[in-house]
Amino acid sequence: MPNDPATTASRARFDTTRWSLVAAADSKHSDVAGEALNDLCRAYWRPIYAEIRRRGHAADASQDLTQDFFARLLRHEAFGRADREKGRFRTFLLGALDFFLIDHLRSKQALRRGGGEILLPFSTQEGESWFREQPAYGSTPAEAFDQQWAVVLMDRALEALRDEYRATGRENVFTAVEPFLTADSGADGYEEVCGQISLTPQAFAVAVHRVRRRFRACVREQVERTVRDPAEAALEMKHLFGL
């Protein structure tokens, strides 16, 4: 139940474990910080996979490297000068990846997926499909990575919003409104769709406004999980979605 006290308390507990908690922890993370780091890694493996692919590694090798990268990260191993104090999980990950790939090139050894452990549930097909669907934006590697990061943020925000509507028995409303989420979609098509969920065009317009507003809030919530200080979320959003 969405209003269940235990569920609410659990979510509140986890919401405090965003990157700020992980960044503040030492090498011996608490269970809560470790859970937060694991969640962040599972959420943002796709930009890392895409970046490894973009740097010229084959699909199979990129899956191996991605698994090994996150396996080391989740074991709290050091990544050279990758600095957690920089404030953003995105920045930390990209810096850590640079040092990881340098070490990989120096070792010239065949790396197994996480040393035999599959820590992230993904398939080559999923990662490869996502990688190929991404437009070749960005004049620099960092910009390309940030744009892929922004896509994942929006995907996760959209899924979180869909779950909210599903939990309250209004998934049909969300499904009808979803094509109109972008601000420039206009009101064309309202009359054709709103009748499917027994709403007047005026009521449907209100529903669109509410979903858009909640979607923006969901995006910000996702961003806040990846910055050290939630006050940095606005700047992070301006950077990511202004590229």
Side-chain angles (χ1 to χ4, degrees):
M1 298 295 292
N3 295 321
D4 178 64
T7 301
T8 302
S10 176
R11 180 173 180 179
R13 170 179 170 272
F14 185 77
D15 283 348
T16 65
T17 67
R18 55 176 72 93
W19 177 236
S20 57
L21 189 153
V22 179
D26 59 20
S27 60
K28 296 181 180 179
H29 291 42
S30 68
D31 290 342
V32 176
E35 181 185 356
L37 179 59
N38 188 286
D39 181 73
L40 288 168
C41 291
R42 288 172 181 267
Y44 294 103
W45 68 265
R46 287 183 294 175
I48 290 294
Y49 174 84
E51 179 62 17
I52 294 173
R53 284 284 285 117
R54 193 195 62 76
R55 297 190 189 192
H57 295 276
D60 288 346
S62 294
Q63 183 177 5
D64 291 344
L65 288 168
T66 302
Q67 288 283 7
D68 196 65
F69 172 76
F70 283 111
R72 293 189 187 188
L73 184 64
L74 290 168
R75 293 191 193 103
H76 322 307
E77 294 183 13
F79 287 94
R81 297 191 299 273
D83 190 355
R84 296 183 184 190
E85 299 300 319
K86 290 181 179 178
R88 292 170 173 80
F89 183 57
R90 167 178 58 81
T91 304
F92 167 73
L93 269 190
L94 192 55
L97 180 64
D98 288 338
F99 287 102
F100 169 78
L101 291 178
I102 289 172
D103 287 343
H104 169 71
L105 290 174
R106 286 175 177 170
S107 68
K108 295 183 180 180
Q109 295 177 349
L111 298 176
R112 301 290 296 176
R113 294 175 188 168
E117 296 179 72
I118 303 301
L119 298 180
L120 297 176
F122 71 84
S123 66
T124 300
Q125 183 177 1
E126 178 187 355
E128 191 66 9
S129 296
W130 189 85
F131 168 68
R132 293 185 180 280
E133 288 172 0
Q134 302 311 305
Y137 294 149
S139 58
T140 69
E143 287 179 356
F145 180 80
D146 287 356
Q147 284 158 349
Q148 292 162 354
W149 190 271
V151 169
V152 174
L153 278 170
M154 293 185 69
D155 283 349
R156 286 183 61 79
L158 193 65
E159 187 58 33
L161 186 56
R162 183 181 291 108
D163 287 345
E164 286 184 11
Y165 274 76
R166 184 182 296 122
T168 55
R170 298 177 296 153
E171 189 174 6
N172 62 327
V173 175
F174 180 83
T175 300
V177 169
E178 186 176 0
F180 304 97
L181 268 180
T182 58
D184 59 354
S185 60
D188 292 342
Y190 278 16
E191 291 189 9
E192 180 180 350
V193 176
C194 65
Q196 299 174 9
I197 55 174
S198 302
L199 291 179
T200 65
Q202 293 76 16
F204 189 77
V206 172
V208 170
H209 174 75
R210 287 174 176 170
V211 173
R212 286 177 179 170
R213 182 175 60 189
R214 182 60 191 139
F215 178 60
R216 287 193 294 270
C218 286
V219 171
R220 185 182 178 99
E221 288 170 7
Q222 294 299 322
V223 172
E224 286 181 351
R225 290 178 179 271
T226 68
V227 294
R228 187 179 179 98
D229 184 348
E232 298 176 2
L235 289 176
E236 178 75 338
M237 291 176 69
K238 182 178 180 180
H239 168 71
L240 290 173
F241 299 108
L243 289 170

